[in-house]
């Protein structure tokens, strides 16, 4: 079962309906409203669908009300929380460490291994850099974000 199928199963267990719909704007990739997630039917890769679905699940679990107006500080905070939820669900610090242990040498290889898009991986790393700063520890590893993504095993 790939990552998209696993996320669909998570959604089904919580009675969240997932539908594929055409959107008038190509910029809209996914939407969440009242227990239903709509994913743009023009999205063709499972990796991109899983990234979109993870964020929309984040909206289901972390946001309230209509947050479409991103001029509001409160709405932007809720959007950030949903994205962070999605990043943690799809990648997480442990995913970065697992990719390192798997022998991934580039962001492309990491994205392939984690079944996400390179853009999503890059956005996740940027988000973690803002959240954790220079580095953070996870299990027996230190994940550095500055000056670049590096994983070191502690002995």
């Amino acid at each position: 079962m790939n990552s998209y199928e696993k996320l669909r199963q998570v959604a089904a267990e919580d009675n969240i309906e997932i539908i594929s719909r055409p959107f008038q704007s190509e910029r809209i990739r996914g939407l969440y409203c009242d227990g239903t997630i709509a994913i743009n039917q023009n999205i063709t890769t499972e990796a991109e669908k899983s990234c979109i679905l993870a964020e929309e699940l984040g909206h289901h679990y972390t946001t309230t009300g209509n947050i479409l107006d991103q001029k509001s500080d409160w709405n932007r905070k809720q959007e950030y929380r949903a994205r962070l939820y999605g990043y943690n669900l799809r990648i997480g610090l442990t995913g970065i460490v697992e990719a390192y242990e798997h022998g991934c040498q580039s962001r492309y290889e990491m994205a392939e291994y984690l079944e996400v898009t390179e853009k999503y991986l890059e956005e996740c790393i940027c988000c973690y850099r803002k959240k954790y700063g220079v580095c953070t520890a996870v299990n027996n590893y230190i994940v550095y974000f500055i000056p670049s993504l590096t994983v070191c095993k502690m002995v």
Side-chain angles (χ1 to χ4, degrees):
M1 189 179 312
N2 67 32
S3 60
Y4 180 63
E5 291 167 337
K6 289 176 186 174
L7 289 179
R8 285 185 65 90
Q9 186 174 11
V10 167
E13 289 169 2
D14 280 345
N15 296 314
I16 302 167
E17 182 182 12
I18 300 169
I19 58 175
S20 181
R21 289 278 189 243
F23 293 119
Q24 290 186 3
S25 171
E26 286 300 313
R27 294 180 325 154
I28 301 172
R29 297 167 33 216
L31 291 171
Y32 171 78
C33 183
D34 298 331
T36 300
I37 294 172
I39 296 179
N40 190 327
Q41 72 182 20
N42 294 329
I43 306 298
T44 57
T45 68
E46 299 284 301
E48 188 172 3
K49 285 180 184 178
S50 76
C51 298
I52 295 164
L53 182 52
E55 182 177 331
E56 298 309 325
L57 286 170
H59 284 293
H60 173 77
Y61 294 118
T62 67
T63 61
T64 58
N66 180 342
I67 65 165
L68 291 175
D69 178 11
Q70 288 295 295
K71 292 176 186 159
S72 159
D73 287 341
W74 175 246
N75 290 353
R76 284 194 309 275
K77 286 177 184 178
Q78 289 197 86
E79 183 66 36
Y80 170 79
R81 223 177 12 248
R83 285 197 181 156
L84 182 59
Y85 185 96
Y87 295 146
N88 290 335
L89 186 62
R90 284 299 303 117
I91 299 171
L93 294 172
T94 55
I96 292 171
V97 169
E98 288 171 6
Y100 164 79
E101 281 294 323
H102 185 73
C104 296
Q105 296 292 312
S106 67
R107 303 241 172 143
Y108 170 80
E109 290 176 355
M110 284 183 74
E112 282 287 311
Y113 175 76
L114 295 168
E115 298 179 48
V116 298
T117 64
E118 285 183 79
K119 181 181 178 189
Y120 191 80
L121 176 63
E122 195 63 43
E123 291 170 352
C124 175
I125 292 168
C126 182
C127 179
Y128 286 171
R129 184 180 304 121
K130 288 177 184 173
K131 180 177 180 176
Y132 297 110
V134 173
C135 66
T136 191
V138 57
N139 301 329
N140 288 331
Y141 295 86
I142 298 178
V143 179
Y144 287 90
F145 299 103
I146 298 172
S148 63
L149 182 65
T150 307
V151 179
C152 297
K153 187 171 185 172
M154 295 185 279
V155 251

